[in-house]
Amino acid sequence: MLRYKRAPCFTLIALVAPFMPDSDKLYESALRYHRMAPAGKLAVVATKPLVTQRDLALAYSPGVAAACTAIVDDPAQAAQLTARGNLVAVISNGSAVLGLGNIGPLASKPVMEGKAVLFKKFANIDCFDIEVDATDADLFCKVVAALEPTFGAINLEDIKAPECFIIEERLRKIMDIPVFHDDQHGTAIVAGAAIYNALKVVGKSFGNVKLVSTGGGAASLACLDLLVSMGLAKDNITLCDIDGVVYEGREAGMNPYKARYARKTDMRSLSDAIEGADIFLGLSAPRVLTADMVKKMGSQPVIMALANPEPEIMPDLAREARPDAIIATGRSDFPNQVNNVLCYPFMFRGALDVGATDINEAMKIAAVKAIAALAEKEVSDVVARAYEGEPLRLGPDYLIPKPFDARLMTEVAPAVAKAAMDSGVARRPIEDFDAYLAELNTFVFRSGNLMQPIFERARTQRKRLLFAEGEDERVLQAAQALLDERMADITVVGRPKVVQSRIEKLGLRIRPDVDFEVVNPQNDARYGEYWRSYHELMERKGVSPDEARTIMRTNNTAIAALALHRGEADAMVCGAVGRYHRHLTHVLDIVGLSDGVKAASALSVLMLGKGTFFLCDTFITPDPTAEEIAEVTILAADEVRRFGLTPKVALLSHSNFGSSRTHSAAKMRTALALLHEMAPDLEVEGEMHGDAAIEEKIRDRIFPHSRLSGMANLLVMPNLDAANISYELLKVLGDGLPIGPLLLGTKKSAHIVTPSVTARGLLNMGALALVDAIDPPALRRSPSIDLLDV
């Protein structure tokens, strides 16, 4: 007989963990967090401008009548004309809040706000939390059903059993939008993925395993239902609850939902049922599974101890009893956390994107398999850094992805959307799945749209790309991605044993000297040629033969630059380790500047909420001349065009169209005159303030004859201080996503990143370097250009 109180429904542990006596600091911090102005965690933000009288007329009276009339004529237009198609309601009566029990609707509001925030964070879904003061299932259903015109889907949360079964079942029948009780199905999907992969690890199949489950509540029964749909034999399931085994003829504590799993058996206790079991699925209460019970389980048992905050058995105790056990819990401080956030944002994303009328079994199983499959793929550098030291390859301690694996969006949502289409519940089927995947990828990696033309161009000609820091994990992850995308032939500089060790640690598939080349700085057949070539280049700059030998043994950037100079690579990327200017020195000494270019410069890209902006020169020239500014502007404008954008150039200054006669203001005016001569078709204006560059209305009021229209996207600064300060401030204050810096003006394609670069950033820079090799910048194509002669 099990000894525990009936447990509340399982939900996202990260939201509402009970506060224990030793967590007073966390308790106080959480209160301060919620009290911080503005109170709570949600706000409504307008998505359209509401500045002028015309804006008001369009948004409300009389213009809004056009949208209303269109919906009257065709209700499906609501998805295009309102926020409904991307709007979910998180609805609860607070009767079963995790760890807190029946605290009522008002006290549950912080939890529901938190759930809404996670919808937005993980899947870009807008969400309202609605707390309903109704414990009666009939009244609750009437309230929720009446809300159907407002929402594209309903997420039921923290409602006690058995009312949660009744409510969801009834609402699914009467509503024509998805109704999903996350405590049931979110848990079932993630637990199902963990079990799916655990059986793969131990080499067992769904059709043969024996499963024992404790709980008998919403999550437990939903898990069993889904596992049966996936192929687990119902006759191989034994369900236990507070009154023991659920058997045929039992009357105590029974309901029709449990009765589906009543067995004809003489077993009456969990201890009886666990004998020889392959899987324990616990969604009940602490300490109901003992070490002695675990010892009686079958070979390589799978233990899903999902009660929170304390599982049915602690992992160390279970491992001590059975070293061959595979264990999952609902806690983040143990491996294999079964966390609903792996599922529900992306389940709803896929359902909303096809206008699904329901979330059916096919969609749930598709989510299970997508989550499970993701655990078999190598993780991103972001995930690797967040979980440093943890195993991140499919195995006993890594059954399912980590909650912050950004790829969940691009794997789970499309799988759910496709399953909805295949099963006939999609009202708006996706016609172009490649475009849909690209859109999802853009949300996950905000550089997606901007980099798309770069990636496409890089694929057109397979060039040779060399990474200087080949032992760096981020570089190897970027190399894997570039090879997967078939963008380049890859060479890295690094010690082969170290490179191989890092690849194995990361679980990457690439093979040194098979999929990519490794230049070993300590022992390469070309060493003699390399140091002599380097000495020939540098002997009149004070470099002796001995120093040349040393550099060609120890400096990866110099080795990479020399390989580029010798034509053994078409493009290079360096800078992941060390100071920018140390790398720059070697690149300029060996690769050199393009004919006609007076100075190298750095162009940084920032993706901000207001748009994408290119800033130069952010890293190299302290005080460029007017000629150098004109030169960098032409080079930078060419780079802007690579991204599929039309360059709109603003030459920035403290002076506004001649308002100051200082040296720096005069320099920018001279640069403008040079640009008008050299690039008459370039849309460029200056010198001007920063606000005039961004806001056309300000510019028109001050200087109505400006050659620049709209918002500038290429911002050229008068000196390094202005450029770097502006870039760093915008990056932090504007929550900007950086790309670059791009090195401009070199004879061959060479780029220097900064040590904070991610693997995704290296992938971007690698693609940009390849495109530079395919389509050399303007001044590299036109060596006769000399701005000093203008």
Side-chain angles (χ1 to χ4, degrees):
M1 190 82 65
L2 300 181
R3 301 293 181 187
Y4 58 85
K5 294 182 180 180
R6 209 171 296 276
C9 299
F10 179 85
T11 189
L12 179 61
I13 182 61
L15 277 179
V16 200
F19 293 105
M20 307 302 289
D22 60 350
S23 61
D24 290 341
K25 291 182 179 179
L26 178 61
Y27 184 90
E28 292 300 325
S29 296
L31 289 179
R32 286 195 299 272
Y33 173 84
H34 284 82
R35 285 180 178 139
M36 189 186 306
K41 299 186 283 285
L42 292 176
V44 175
V45 178
T47 60
K48 301 293 189 299
L50 197 61
V51 179
T52 67
Q53 181 63 38
R54 179 169 175 76
D55 292 338
L56 184 60
L58 294 172
Y60 197 54
S61 181
V64 73
C68 296
T69 303
I71 294 171
V72 170
D73 295 338
D74 179 10
Q77 286 293 307
Q80 283 75 47
L81 296 172
T82 74
R84 183 175 186 261
N86 193 49
L87 188 60
V88 169
V90 173
I91 304 182
S92 180
N93 60 10
S95 59
V97 178
L98 177 64
L100 300 175
N102 187 357
I103 60 175
L106 183 61
S108 75
K109 186 171 178 63
V111 181
M112 305 312 137
E113 281 190 0
K115 189 70 174 279
V117 167
L118 293 182
F119 266 114
K120 188 66 177 178
K121 169 68 176 177
F122 286 103
N124 200 28
I125 292 172
D126 297 317
C127 195
F128 291 156
D129 65 292
I130 298 176
E131 294 72 38
V132 179
D133 190 6
T135 55
D136 177 74
D138 291 337
L139 177 57
F140 190 95
C141 286
K142 287 179 181 178
V143 172
V144 176
L147 297 172
E148 182 170 345
T150 303
F151 297 100
I154 303 292
N155 182 90
L156 299 174
E157 191 78 15
D158 291 350
I159 303 169
K160 72 181 182 70
E163 285 84 354
C164 60
F165 302 118
I166 299 167
I167 288 168
E168 187 193 41
E169 192 176 278
R170 190 175 300 172
L171 289 174
R172 287 184 65 186
K173 287 180 180 178
I174 62 177
M175 299 184 79
D176 202 28
I177 57 175
V179 177
F180 185 84
H181 185 205
D182 183 47
D183 301 327
Q184 294 183 58
H185 309 299
T187 304
I189 289 166
V190 182
I195 292 172
Y196 184 89
N197 274 350
L199 293 180
K200 182 177 290 187
V201 169
V202 300
K204 298 180 182 180
S205 66
F206 268 91
N208 301 321
V209 293
K210 175 184 176 182
L211 181 145
V212 175
S213 178
T214 60
S220 174
L221 294 174
C223 286
L224 298 182
D225 289 345
L226 185 58
L227 291 170
V228 169
S229 297
M230 293 173 62
L232 189 71
K234 194 173 181 181
D235 291 342
N236 289 350
I237 295 173
T238 303
L239 175 62
C240 302
D241 64 6
I242 193 171
D243 296 307
V245 172
V246 175
Y247 60 87
E248 286 185 5
R250 199 186 93 173
E251 296 182 0
M254 291 297 289
N255 61 49
Y257 307 98
K258 288 183 193 175
R260 297 199 309 270
Y261 290 96
R263 291 190 61 189
K264 188 175 182 179
T265 178
D266 294 331
M267 296 184 296
R268 293 295 182 266
S269 69
L270 175 59
S271 183
D272 296 335
I274 205 72
E275 182 81 37
D278 298 290
I279 303 170
F280 170 80
L281 175 60
L283 288 142
S284 48
R287 298 180 298 281
V288 302
L289 184 68
T290 67
D292 288 339
M293 294 179 189
V294 172
K295 290 176 181 177
K296 296 196 293 183
M297 295 182 70
S299 64
Q300 293 182 283
V302 176
I303 298 172
M304 310 288 292
L306 305 182
N308 275 304
E310 184 181 347
E312 285 81 358
I313 186 170
M314 294 299 288
D316 54 348
L317 185 60
R319 189 84 68 188
E320 183 180 350
R322 289 296 297 272
D324 62 338
I326 293 180
I327 305 163
T329 70
R331 291 172 46 150
S332 61
D333 53 345
F334 294 113
N336 299 323
Q337 183 194 14
V338 175
N339 189 325
N340 292 21
V341 81
L342 293 175
C343 162
Y344 72 82
F346 320 109
M347 172 66 71
F348 277 91
R349 181 73 277 157
L352 289 170
D353 289 340
V354 295
T357 58
D358 189 20
I359 292 177
N360 56 28
E361 288 300 296
M363 295 160 73
K364 295 174 197 172
I365 293 173
V368 168
K369 293 184 177 179
I371 293 169
L374 187 53
E376 296 192 72
K377 300 182 179 181
E378 59 266 18
V379 300
S380 68
D381 68 310
V382 176
V383 175
R385 284 201 309 272
Y387 301 97
E388 188 173 359
E390 296 186 31
L392 296 174
R393 298 178 67 182
L394 181 62
D397 289 332
Y398 183 67
L399 298 176
I400 48 179
K402 297 295 184 180
F404 289 94
D405 193 326
R407 298 170 300 170
L408 285 160
M409 172 75 116
T410 57
E411 298 288 336
V412 180
V416 170
K418 190 173 188 307
M421 292 162 58
D422 293 344
S423 60
V425 297
R427 272 185 296 227
R428 299 189 304 275
I430 294 168
E431 296 181 3
D432 187 342
F433 236 83
D434 289 339
Y436 176 58
L437 290 171
E439 184 180 346
L440 294 178
N441 193 64
T442 298
F443 171 71
V444 175
F445 302 112
R446 286 183 290 167
S447 61
N449 273 345
L450 186 66
M451 289 301 299
Q452 195 61 38
I454 303 296
F455 291 146
E456 293 299 327
R457 181 60 178 144
R459 291 188 187 98
T460 61
Q461 296 182 34
R462 190 151 178 137
K463 293 288 186 178
R464 299 164 298 169
L465 176 63
L466 197 155
F467 283 107
E469 291 87 10
E471 298 174 9
D472 191 282
E473 293 181 2
R474 297 163 297 172
V475 167
L476 294 170
Q477 288 169 319
Q480 175 78 77
L482 286 160
L483 288 168
D484 284 347
E485 294 289 336
R486 299 180 180 178
M487 284 191 202
D489 293 322
I490 302 293
T491 301
V492 305
V493 181
R495 293 164 294 177
K497 287 184 179 180
V498 177
V499 171
Q500 182 61 45
S501 173
R502 301 281 162 80
I503 288 173
E504 291 173 359
K505 176 186 174 184
L506 294 167
L508 301 177
R509 291 171 280 106
I510 50 176
R511 298 162 296 171
D513 295 321
V514 177
D515 300 311
F516 66 100
E517 182 184 357
V518 179
V519 175
N520 183 359
Q522 296 179 342
N523 183 21
D524 190 275
R526 294 163 291 189
Y527 170 68
E529 297 176 22
Y530 271 35
W531 79 257
R532 290 185 182 92
S533 295
Y534 180 69
H535 180 253
E536 185 178 343
L537 286 170
M538 301 297 294
E539 63 181 337
R540 291 193 179 275
K541 294 184 180 180
V543 175
S544 68
D546 285 343
E547 189 176 356
R549 291 186 186 96
T550 300
I551 289 173
M552 286 296 108
R553 283 280 192 214
T554 60
N555 193 292
N556 286 20
T557 295
I559 294 169
L562 192 66
L564 182 63
H565 170 73
R566 287 164 52 91
E568 294 168 6
D570 300 304
M572 68 169 282
V573 175
C574 61
V577 178
R579 292 173 57 188
Y580 186 94
H581 280 83
R582 288 182 179 176
H583 296 281
L584 178 64
T585 297
H586 289 296
V587 170
L588 295 183
D589 281 344
I590 299 169
V591 178
L593 294 174
S594 182
D595 294 338
V597 174
K598 304 305 175 186
S601 55
L603 176 68
S604 294
V605 188
L606 274 180
M607 298 190 67
L608 303 168
K610 200 173 183 70
T612 298
F613 299 93
F614 299 76
L615 290 78
C616 60
D617 169 13
T618 49
F619 280 92
I620 298 177
T621 308
D623 189 15
T625 64
E627 290 79 8
E628 289 170 337
I629 287 171
E631 177 182 273
V632 70
T633 301
I634 292 175
L635 286 166
D638 205 44
E639 290 293 339
V640 172
R641 294 186 188 98
R642 293 187 191 284
F643 292 91
L645 302 175
T646 300
K648 292 176 173 288
V649 187
L651 304 181
L652 300 184
S653 171
H654 73 282
S655 173
N656 223 12
F657 301 105
S659 64
S660 172
R661 297 182 180 275
T662 62
H663 169 73
S664 66
K667 177 173 68 174
M668 300 308 278
R669 286 195 290 274
T670 302
L672 179 67
L674 289 169
L675 285 166
H676 285 168
E677 290 288 337
M678 291 302 306
D681 295 332
L682 183 64
E683 191 175 342
V684 56
E685 191 56 90
E687 81 287 7
M688 69 178 79
H689 288 177
D691 58 354
I694 304 303
E695 297 289 345
E696 187 173 29
K697 291 179 181 178
I698 295 174
R699 193 164 60 247
D700 286 348
R701 186 172 65 249
I702 299 169
F703 192 73
H705 301 295
S706 170
R707 298 189 184 190
L708 177 64
S709 63
M711 181 169 61
N713 56 17
L714 175 53
L715 308 177
V716 182
M717 310 287 178
N719 56 49
L720 179 60
D721 280 345
N724 190 266
I725 291 169
S726 299
Y727 168 70
E728 298 294 349
L729 282 174
L730 283 171
K731 183 172 66 173
V732 176
L733 297 178
D735 191 25
L737 178 69
I739 299 174
L742 287 67
L743 182 59
L744 306 181
T746 53
K747 189 171 292 184
K748 292 188 176 183
S749 177
H751 290 291
I752 306 169
V753 298
T754 58
S756 62
V757 71
T758 63
R760 178 72 184 187
L762 285 163
L763 169 62
N764 288 339
M765 290 306 299
L768 283 161
L770 291 166
V771 172
D772 269 352
I774 295 170
D775 300 313
L779 291 186
R780 200 186 300 155
R781 292 197 303 266
S782 307
S784 62
I785 293 176
D786 191 336
L787 294 174
L788 290 177
D789 293 336
V790 176

